[in-house]
Amino acid sequence: MDFDTRVRRTIYEHFATTGRRPELATMAERVEATTDEVIASYRRLSDRRVLVLDDDGISIAMALPFSGVPTQHTVESDGVVYTANCAWDALGVPAALQRPATVHSRCEQSREPFRLDIGVDGPESSEWLFHSLVPASKWWADIVFT
Amino acid sequence: MTIDQLWRISTVWYGTRLQASPRRPTPAEMVELFASVGLDEPFWDPTSDHVD
């Protein structure tokens, strides 16, 4: 397994287990490398759109569908609270975990809270709609805005 | 899109993300995936230059 693959797997394992992004020092310890080597790997993974980094260039803002920073989209599953990047990713978290979950979000227009239970066979019936402001061809022009 | 459409897309998009060899859809597969749930407008085409 190459180094970047090991870093990616370790990041995702950390998110899946804790719901939070790993700290740089934790990553270095887990992959048995220096922090500079981990940062270099983060940048390569960012170039491949596996990660989105914070402005500091060393903190993980996104490992889609997981968010490393607080958002209004949270997912609770098996006692762990996850943060998602957007309403889509809020469904992406249980899809990735492949286990039941409860999604909490809100309508950005009315601010009405949204709750959705997702079972092993998928989500309960819901009248809510997902709306994307940005066309697919522009998503990565500014993925944080998207 | 409806929650059902979003869920069907999410299971393909993110279903392997925590596996040893995750696979993200290619642009062509994205087009197919969106079309499979009835979303076949250029808006959902990552290669389209016909949307602003």
Side-chain angles (χ1 to χ4, degrees):
Chain A
M1 184 191 312
D2 67 46
F3 183 65
D4 289 351
T5 299
R6 191 147 55 100
V7 169
R8 180 191 57 73
R9 283 191 188 180
T10 304
I11 291 167
Y12 273 94
E13 285 171 3
H14 189 93
F15 268 110
T17 304
T18 69
R20 298 177 181 175
R21 66 183 176 190
E23 296 300 324
L24 183 59
T26 302
M27 281 297 302
E29 183 179 348
R30 294 276 303 277
V31 300
E32 299 176 321
T34 67
T35 53
D36 283 347
E37 289 169 330
V38 173
I39 291 168
S41 179
Y42 279 6
R43 291 181 178 153
R44 290 189 295 272
L45 291 169
S46 175
D47 289 342
R48 291 167 47 201
R49 298 181 176 176
V50 173
L51 301 178
V52 177
L53 300 178
D54 266 342
D55 291 340
D56 64 8
I58 61 172
S59 301
I60 299 167
M62 300 181 186
L64 290 87
F66 302 104
S67 174
V69 297
T71 74
Q72 68 270 39
H73 313 286
T74 61
V75 180
E76 186 175 352
S77 177
D78 203 17
V80 181
V81 177
Y82 303 88
T83 306
N85 301 296
C86 62
W88 177 342
D89 284 355
L91 271 67
V93 169
L97 294 170
Q98 299 188 12
R99 63 177 193 236
T102 301
V103 170
H104 295 275
S105 183
R106 72 179 180 217
C107 171
E108 285 306 300
Q109 194 166 32
S110 67
R111 303 287 168 165
E112 182 183 347
F114 170 74
R115 176 196 161 115
L116 183 74
D117 287 324
I118 297 178
V120 291
D121 296 324
E124 61 185 328
S125 177
S126 173
E127 298 292 314
W128 283 66
L129 298 173
F130 168 77
H131 177 65
S132 175
L133 285 172
V134 182
S137 59
K138 309 289 187 191
W139 286 346
W140 280 90
D142 185 345
I143 191 63
V144 174
F145 176 78
T146 298
Chain B
M1 70 176 84
T2 67
I3 293 296
D4 183 59
Q5 287 172 313
L6 185 58
W7 174 250
R8 288 160 64 191
I9 291 169
S10 296
T11 56
V12 175
W13 205 280
Y14 287 124
T16 66
R17 198 57 60 102
L18 294 175
Q19 295 177 6
S21 299
R23 191 168 188 286
R24 288 181 293 177
T26 64
E29 289 169 340
M30 287 170 61
V31 172
E32 284 184 26
L33 177 58
F34 285 120
S36 74
V37 299
L39 302 173
D40 54 5
E41 303 89 352
F43 185 90
W44 299 104
D45 180 353
T47 64
S48 174
D49 57 2
H50 297 292
V51 287
D52 294 326

